[in-house]
Amino acid sequence: MKSVNVISERFARVVPNKIFTEKDIGYSKELVHVKVRINKKLAFRVFDEFQNYSLDDNGDYIVNLDFPVGDWMFGYLMSFGENIEILEPLHIREEIKSKLINSLNRY
């Protein structure tokens, strides 16, 4: 930043009680437990994003997570790209597989 000018003006932030509805944010209050394997190449993300994890025999990370069910969860998991494997539950694994196939079919 260049030429920063500090002024004395202040403001009071008002935080609304409810910003989004469940419809707006794409998930529900229902949680699903997901067990994943994350490639050791993404150790930096594991360290940054998770507190509890273990290592498998190959040095990859096993992480147990609880997510609100919905599009956000799938987008988040898919953000790991080829470096994640959904181990449990099988219906989440199959849904991710279906979404990846749909994405590939666009190309």
Side-chain angles (χ1 to χ4, degrees):
M1 294 186 343
K2 294 182 180 180
S3 302
V4 175
N5 187 14
V6 178
I7 61 175
S8 61
E9 185 178 341
R10 303 278 184 232
F11 69 95
R13 179 174 292 180
V14 178
V15 180
N17 291 333
K18 190 168 189 178
I19 299 173
F20 299 109
T21 65
E22 289 178 9
K23 180 181 174 186
D24 294 330
I25 54 180
Y27 67 83
S28 70
K29 293 179 182 176
E30 175 190 352
L31 296 179
V32 63
H33 181 78
V34 181
K35 181 177 181 180
V36 299
R37 175 181 294 120
I38 300 173
N39 189 296
K40 59 189 164 200
K41 292 189 298 188
L42 291 187
F44 67 95
R45 278 196 69 180
V46 173
F47 300 149
D48 286 349
E49 299 176 33
F50 310 113
Q51 292 181 343
N52 298 313
Y53 51 84
S54 60
L55 294 173
D56 69 8
D57 293 338
N58 294 322
D60 294 326
Y61 296 90
I62 304 298
V63 184
N64 290 282
L65 307 162
D66 292 311
F67 285 112
V69 176
D71 291 336
W72 180 88
M73 173 187 69
F74 293 110
Y76 177 75
L77 292 171
M78 291 168 63
S79 76
F80 287 85
E82 66 184 9
N83 296 300
I84 192 169
E85 179 184 0
I86 311 304
L87 302 174
E88 298 172 4
L90 290 179
H91 73 279
I92 299 296
R93 182 182 174 98
E94 290 301 315
E95 182 71 20
I96 291 281
K97 182 178 177 181
S98 174
K99 288 180 181 298
L100 291 169
I101 288 169
N102 289 338
S103 292
L104 284 172
N105 288 334
R106 293 178 199 267
Y107 297 90

